[in-house]
Amino acid sequence: MAIESTDINFPLKDETYVLIGICMDVHRTLGNGFLEIVYKDAIQFELMRKEITFGREVQYSIKYKDSILPHKFYADFVVRDKIILEIKAVEGGLANDQIAQTINYLKVSGCEVGLLVNFGRKSLEYKRLIF
């Protein structure tokens, strides 16, 4: 079961605060209205600048019963092999299907925390998810 973390004792607290800070800086600099890819490029720039270990568009296979399904999923970012960072740029705000998608990414990846971030609104919107 996954939950949205509002507890001050959630796992990887310091690491997720750093990532949220990076996202806030990117949003403050670029504003809203760009495509997701622009925000991903800016986040990659900041992660590299801060020398934070990450992978971009990390591929995961999905196991179904005793088989691996032919389609893969690609996490936007995997930070320090522990945090899925999923980027959105939608005007209407984060939706339940996007939250469910991030939770599924946590299940398949084995990562501890998911950070779902939306750059599509006037103010940055994010949810921290724990599986």
Side-chain angles (χ1 to χ4, degrees):
M1 181 173 129
I3 58 169
E4 183 180 341
S5 174
T6 54
D7 183 0
I8 59 171
N9 296 317
F10 57 85
L12 304 171
K13 175 180 167 181
D14 294 337
E15 292 88 342
T16 56
Y17 276 149
V18 168
L19 293 175
I20 292 166
I22 288 171
C23 292
M24 286 181 172
D25 185 39
V26 167
H27 190 271
R28 191 174 6 304
T29 303
L30 294 176
N32 62 321
F34 287 102
L35 296 175
E36 285 178 18
I37 194 73
V38 173
Y39 299 109
K40 290 177 190 179
D41 288 347
I43 290 167
Q44 179 173 330
F45 175 87
E46 291 297 334
L47 291 171
M48 291 172 65
R49 191 173 70 81
K50 294 180 184 293
E51 298 181 354
I52 296 172
T53 305
F54 73 95
R56 183 166 173 184
E57 298 297 326
V58 177
Q59 177 181 295
Y60 290 97
S61 297
I62 301 169
K63 185 175 181 180
Y64 177 73
K65 297 186 178 182
D66 293 330
S67 297
I68 300 296
L69 297 176
H71 290 88
K72 315 286 188 232
F73 89 80
Y74 298 85
D76 290 339
F77 293 93
V78 178
V79 181
R80 296 195 168 126
D81 294 322
K82 297 177 185 175
I83 302 169
I84 296 279
L85 176 57
E86 190 64 20
I87 306 303
K88 302 295 178 195
V90 292
E91 288 182 33
L94 295 174
N96 288 337
D97 61 333
Q98 295 160 337
I99 294 168
Q101 175 189 33
T102 305
I103 290 167
N104 287 334
Y105 288 2
L106 288 174
K107 287 180 199 175
V108 174
S109 70
C111 289
E112 296 178 50
V113 176
L115 195 55
L116 177 59
V117 183
N118 181 23
F119 288 87
R121 303 183 92 178
K122 197 172 195 173
S123 294
L124 186 75
E125 179 182 24
Y126 66 90
K127 292 192 181 292
R128 187 181 302 106
L129 302 162
I130 302 167
F131 180 72

